[in-house]
Amino acid sequence: MSDGHEQHGHEHVPSRQRRRFPGISSRAYEHPADRSALVALRKLSGFDTVFKALSGLLPERSLRLLFLSDSVRVSEQQFAHLNDMLRDACYILDLEKVPPMYVNQDPVPNAMCIGLDEPIIVVTTGLLELLDEEEMRAVVGHEVGHALSGHSVYRTILLFLTSLAVRVAWIPLGNIAIMAIVTALREWFRKSELSADRAGLLVGQDLQASMRGLMKLAGGHHLHEMNVDAFLKQAEEYEAGGDLRDSVLKILNVLPRSHPFTTVRAAELKKWAESRDHQRIMDGHYPRRDEDKDTSVTDSFRESASHYATHVKSSKDPLMKLVTDIAGGAGDLGGRVRRGFGGFAGAAPREEPRRDDDRRDDGGDNA
């Protein structure tokens, strides 16, 4: 339990009756797709050297100076309650070096963890004004989870490449190449957000607070007008509703986003909170950081592939159902595709002509 004692270099840690996870590896809470990508990157020889060499091209120094000069650095003297939350989150996840944290004047609720050499956490005033203490604790834990996983490196690169894509938009092939990388990074980063949501839950250890925070990000201050069960029901309707046209539109809607939709995040977090994996962590059974070097890339990719296969099979999305049917050799797939996409041009699916023997089978009783 977090008890306020000085351990592992942490001093003045707030007293919280929350479970600690000494030596926990970020693999414990990472989404399978996020984990497999990170394990592979960590295994690449010279990976850290290459990305550190990129630091001269990336605006990291500029960002650090910008936050230092035009934001408020969290400390015992400034935003002390956030300083307590930050130190508590690092204590619970056993992150030895507490990353610097800044509050930036911006009405848009947001938080991020960026940096190549060292992670920096930034939260906006809009987020501070939106969330209560326990909701904010989950957000701080979310960002510390990003820092522990090393997501800040890839987030910084994503920001840089997105900016670069805008600058070279006049070069057709150059823009296409960069946007292909940006699209892939965004897909990975959306999964990393699900990982960080889990880290936020491990720190806050209050599922309802995590749910409230996500609801507020979607609907604002009006929490008294919202309901968690109804909010989660939206995620079910989003996944299962419509036909193949809606499935394609969902993909197109999410492509430019760095974060999953809030209802989807809430549903994913609730599912993980009720899983055996989460319970094992809470019971103290989790992978340790000192075992990371022995992690198998093949096993991580196999686990990721297994997760996606299970997701496709259990999904209620029309496109995912079609994929499952194709894999299972279901009949009349051509008809299903036509019916699924029928109406894209505003026309209803055409009814197949009936044969004479079909009419005879009807018996003539239908009005």
Side-chain angles (χ1 to χ4, degrees):
M1 295 291 183
S2 176
D3 56 9
H5 294 163
E6 296 181 10
Q7 298 181 31
H8 300 284
H10 296 274
E11 300 177 359
H12 311 300
V13 177
S15 177
R16 304 292 182 194
Q17 291 302 308
R18 291 180 175 83
R19 187 173 297 279
R20 286 192 68 234
F21 308 102
I24 188 172
S25 167
S26 59
R27 291 181 291 115
Y29 58 79
E30 284 164 354
H31 185 278
D34 175 29
R35 187 188 311 130
S36 61
L38 289 173
V39 168
L41 287 171
R42 289 165 185 155
K43 288 287 185 177
L44 285 178
S45 178
F47 170 77
D48 290 338
T49 304
V50 171
F51 276 103
K52 285 185 182 299
L54 283 175
S55 63
L57 300 175
L58 301 177
E60 182 179 11
R61 287 181 178 273
S62 176
L63 287 173
R64 289 180 183 275
L65 289 172
L66 179 64
F67 291 128
L68 188 62
S69 64
D70 205 32
S71 300
V72 178
R73 184 161 58 189
V74 171
S75 65
E76 292 182 359
Q77 293 78 36
Q78 301 185 117
F79 290 101
H81 70 292
L82 284 181
N83 187 61
D84 289 345
M85 286 185 194
L86 177 61
R87 299 187 70 84
D88 198 32
C90 292
Y91 183 64
I92 289 173
L93 293 181
D94 200 15
L95 184 62
E96 183 67 27
K97 189 170 184 178
V98 179
M101 185 177 188
Y102 293 89
V103 174
N104 180 243
Q105 170 61 30
D106 188 339
V108 178
N110 196 15
M112 61 180 174
C113 181
I114 58 173
L116 287 177
D117 296 323
E118 294 182 0
I120 299 174
I121 296 175
V122 182
V123 298
T124 65
T125 51
L127 190 68
L128 284 179
E129 293 164 2
L130 180 65
L131 304 182
D132 67 24
E133 182 178 348
E134 292 307 308
E135 295 157 8
M136 194 66 206
R137 188 182 304 280
V139 169
V140 173
H142 174 112
E143 300 305 327
V144 169
H146 275 315
L148 182 57
S149 288
H151 291 154
S152 61
V153 172
Y154 317 111
R155 174 65 167 173
T156 305
I157 294 170
L158 178 58
L159 289 172
F160 171 70
L161 290 177
T162 304
S163 173
L164 184 61
V166 174
R167 295 177 191 173
V168 300
W170 60 277
I171 308 175
L173 293 180
N175 185 53
I176 290 172
I178 293 174
M179 286 311 299
I181 299 173
V182 167
T183 299
L185 274 173
R186 280 177 178 158
E187 168 59 20
W188 162 77
F189 201 79
R190 285 191 289 271
K191 297 301 185 290
S192 77
E193 286 298 312
L194 301 179
S195 299
D197 283 343
R198 297 175 179 184
L201 180 60
L202 291 178
V203 168
Q205 298 174 27
D206 184 345
L207 179 61
Q208 291 305 310
S210 294
M211 292 290 108
R212 291 197 310 269
L214 289 169
M215 287 171 62
K216 284 183 176 180
L217 287 176
H221 285 282
H222 311 286
L223 192 61
H224 62 287
E225 298 283 357
M226 294 182 274
N227 178 275
V228 172
D229 293 333
F231 189 66
L232 292 172
K233 184 69 175 177
Q234 290 180 225
E236 292 182 20
E237 291 181 21
Y238 171 77
E239 181 182 2
D243 53 27
L244 291 179
R245 292 167 295 173
D246 298 289
S247 297
V248 173
L249 291 173
K250 291 175 189 175
I251 294 172
L252 294 176
N253 285 340
V254 80
L255 278 179
R257 295 175 60 93
S258 61
H259 289 56
F261 294 113
T262 48
T263 57
V264 174
R265 290 173 64 184
E268 286 284 337
L269 184 60
K270 185 173 186 295
K271 185 189 304 181
W272 186 73
E274 296 170 348
S275 71
R276 185 169 177 268
D277 289 341
H278 176 253
Q279 188 56 54
R280 283 180 57 81
I281 295 174
M282 296 305 295
D283 290 340
H285 305 295
Y286 50 81
R288 261 56 177 186
R289 215 169 298 159
D290 55 12
E291 302 167 350
D292 285 348
K293 62 182 182 300
D294 302 321
T295 305
S296 167
V297 177
T298 302
D299 290 345
S300 297
F301 274 112
R302 187 180 295 119
E303 184 180 356
S304 178
S306 175
H307 168 82
Y308 273 113
T310 302
H311 173 72
V312 169
K313 288 180 181 178
S314 62
S315 176
K316 299 177 183 178
D317 181 84
L319 182 58
M320 293 299 101
K321 286 183 178 179
L322 181 63
V323 171
T324 302
D325 288 344
I326 291 173
D332 190 30
L333 286 174
R336 291 196 60 182
V337 172
R338 286 196 301 273
R339 288 191 295 273
F341 282 101
F344 239 130
R350 187 171 61 185
E351 186 177 356
E352 295 290 336
R354 300 176 66 186
R355 298 176 302 178
D356 290 338
D357 54 341
D358 289 334
R359 295 190 183 94
R360 286 194 296 272
D361 288 342
D362 285 346
D365 292 334
N366 292 337

